[in-house]
Amino acid sequence: MPITAYSKEAAREIDLEQWLALNHYSLKNDPLLERLPAELRAKAARDIECSGCRAHGAVLVAVGRERGVGRSVSQGHFRFGHTGGANPHDPLCDFYIDEKVPRDTDYLVNFASDKSALTRAVRDLVCRGIRAGRFGQADVRRMRLWFLDEKVAHAMPLDVMPELLNWCVDMDATRWDGQLPFQPEHGQLPGFDWTQAARSEWRRRHGALFEARPMRVHFRQDTVHRALKLIELQGRVIVLDPTSLREKYEAVVQLSEFAALYVYHLAGTKPPPHWRLNGLKSAGRALQALCALLLFMNDWDTGQASAVFAGLTALPSAADGTEGNVMGLNPFHDDEAWQILHEARQVAARRTDARPVAEQIDAVRSELHAAHLEWLARSTTH
Ligand SMILES: [Zn+2]
């Protein structure tokens, strides 16, 4: 369900609202697309193709309606394929998996919220850049093709089982229980926490599992969610090995975090306290798509790309412009999930005991306790 797609007639990447505007139909007057003429729906199926793989048969999906209230809650988008039919996307297409099941609701954007204002602000910047000739459709296409080539060249098998990811979550839960190494004498400390000591000891013995992992990768229920979904869907048996593009992805995150503050400013809002790029949902993804394009065009140099970004903000606003869009093209949109899968594979290769972590910690606990009793017996016999 891409937010943007390629219009053959317009010869550019556009979102739903832009496509309707180019076809002289106002989304504002009919936000639920209840009166959309059949000819226009038929034209959409002919004219629009997936920006990731050129799949056809686009369906226009209206802004969602909040149950009971009748207010619009989600952003309009394109959907490819037919009800109950085969998936029209190329298996290596970014949208292959997401067409098979409804997107998580967090993908949808509330038009009335700050996030929507942010999404519009990003689109405005894209249109300003295209209007001023700072980048164009050819650059967007070059980036897309470059990324497809990267995926083919650096494929990683999707051979991770959900059990392994859950094992990694249990493993990371022990991560911060750092204590001094256990001594049998510790057992006589008042209120000594045997479970804590066992977790700490387990973590010390398995230190190799925690080494050489990128700083941003943590196994938690919320961070493995998307990776679990990719496995569950098994839509494709290979994914991109994220280590091949790690530095480039870091650059995209860095530039996006820098740029987000100014997008907030352009949208006329202020960032909430403790905001995170992830928390921006669609707007965050849209911003990452723009930043990826700027970096792609500037040899992945964050300094140069940030200078171009600054230049975009100084251009006259192109509000409601139809020049095009790149929001559906963030090449790194699943990078976090790929990193989780990649690191889980490293853990699988390094671990020496695949029994459940809790079971192993129980065993360590018994072992520590036995060592303490042994010490006690020794010290009382002397
Ligand atoms: Zn596709």
Side-chain angles (χ1 to χ4, degrees):
M1 290 184 208
I3 284 182
T4 60
Y6 185 74
S7 161
K8 284 185 282 191
E9 187 179 277
R12 55 186 180 263
E13 196 80 30
I14 46 181
D15 61 37
L16 179 65
E17 197 172 354
Q18 289 173 325
W19 189 82
L20 289 170
L22 286 169
N23 286 281
H24 314 292
Y25 198 79
S26 167
L27 189 62
K28 286 198 179 76
N29 294 338
D30 183 18
L32 300 175
L33 298 181
E34 288 167 329
R35 298 185 295 278
L36 189 71
E39 308 86 72
L40 217 46
R41 288 190 187 278
K43 182 179 176 184
R46 284 195 312 274
D47 179 45
I48 295 167
E49 59 184 35
C50 173
S51 53
C53 71
R54 298 193 168 89
H56 277 92
V59 176
L60 309 181
V61 181
V63 175
R65 194 201 289 264
E66 193 172 309
R67 203 170 295 147
V69 187
R71 272 205 318 252
S72 58
V73 291
S74 66
Q75 178 161 359
H77 55 272
F78 303 104
R79 183 185 295 150
F80 291 86
H82 315 279
T83 317
N87 189 331
H89 292 276
D90 185 298
L92 272 169
C93 174
D94 275 341
F95 302 106
Y96 180 75
I97 284 179
D98 291 317
E99 287 294 344
K100 292 179 76 177
V101 288
R103 271 273 198 181
D104 298 339
T105 46
D106 70 0
Y107 183 70
L108 304 171
V109 179
N110 188 334
F111 262 131
S113 73
D114 288 352
K115 286 169 198 145
S116 169
L118 291 180
T119 309
R120 284 165 182 272
V122 176
R123 186 177 76 181
D124 180 25
L125 287 174
V126 173
C127 289
R128 291 183 197 193
I130 294 172
R131 196 176 283 183
R134 305 284 164 93
F135 45 79
Q137 193 60 46
D139 302 307
V140 174
R141 291 211 148 200
R142 273 199 301 126
M143 175 171 77
R144 179 168 68 209
L145 293 176
W146 162 78
F147 191 67
L148 271 176
D149 290 345
E150 289 291 314
K151 277 202 284 198
V152 173
H154 305 283
M156 169 180 82
L158 182 53
D159 55 1
V160 175
M161 293 288 129
E163 294 74 33
L164 175 60
L165 286 181
N166 292 324
W167 197 94
C168 290
V169 170
D170 292 342
M171 176 189 86
D172 264 14
T174 69
R175 194 170 189 183
W176 305 113
D177 294 350
Q179 285 198 340
L180 291 174
F182 176 79
Q183 308 293 330
E185 290 85 347
H186 287 178
Q188 58 189 333
L189 288 164
F192 184 66
D193 189 337
W194 287 97
T195 305
Q196 173 94 344
R199 291 171 73 171
S200 187
E201 177 63 17
W202 184 88
R203 191 225 174 294
R204 198 183 62 75
R205 291 180 189 178
H206 297 271
L209 297 178
F210 299 88
E211 284 165 10
R213 202 196 298 170
M215 256 170 45
R216 290 182 193 274
V217 182
H218 303 289
F219 295 107
R220 293 191 311 264
Q221 285 306 337
D222 61 321
T223 60
V224 303
H225 178 77
R226 177 70 182 160
L228 281 170
K229 188 153 233 170
L230 295 184
I231 297 169
E232 177 200 328
L233 297 170
Q234 294 197 338
R236 40 188 163 181
V237 290
I238 51 168
V239 293
L240 174 73
D241 176 352
T243 56
S244 64
L245 296 176
R246 182 161 287 158
E247 283 171 17
K248 292 183 171 65
Y249 177 63
E250 287 295 323
V252 170
V253 171
Q254 208 186 347
L255 181 62
S256 300
E257 285 177 347
F258 168 83
L261 290 172
Y262 304 100
V263 173
Y264 267 110
H265 190 82
L266 290 170
T269 59
K270 283 189 175 146
H274 314 299
W275 72 277
R276 283 167 54 237
L277 202 57
N278 277 350
L280 300 183
K281 311 278 188 199
S282 282
R285 283 187 275 266
L287 182 57
Q288 286 193 39
L290 172 60
C291 290
L293 179 65
L294 296 181
L295 284 161
F296 173 75
M297 293 178 65
N298 288 280
D299 293 328
W300 302 93
D301 182 309
T302 44
Q304 277 182 39
S306 67
V308 176
F309 176 82
L312 294 182
T313 65
L315 291 168
S317 171
D320 296 324
T322 54
E323 281 80 2
N325 210 332
V326 290
M327 287 177 183
L329 270 175
N330 172 18
F332 298 99
H333 75 113
D334 257 340
D335 204 88
E336 285 187 3
W338 297 331
Q339 290 199 39
I340 286 283
L341 291 166
H342 180 267
E343 294 309 314
R345 296 179 86 235
Q346 305 304 309
V347 168
R350 284 188 203 143
R351 71 178 171 181
T352 49
D353 188 342
R355 285 179 300 155
V357 173
E359 192 183 317
Q360 295 187 42
I361 288 173
D362 274 351
V364 173
R365 191 181 191 280
S366 304
E367 194 188 312
L368 300 187
H369 204 245
H372 171 66
L373 291 179
E374 199 182 304
W375 166 81
L376 203 60
R378 265 206 321 269
S379 60
T380 49
T381 54
H382 288 297

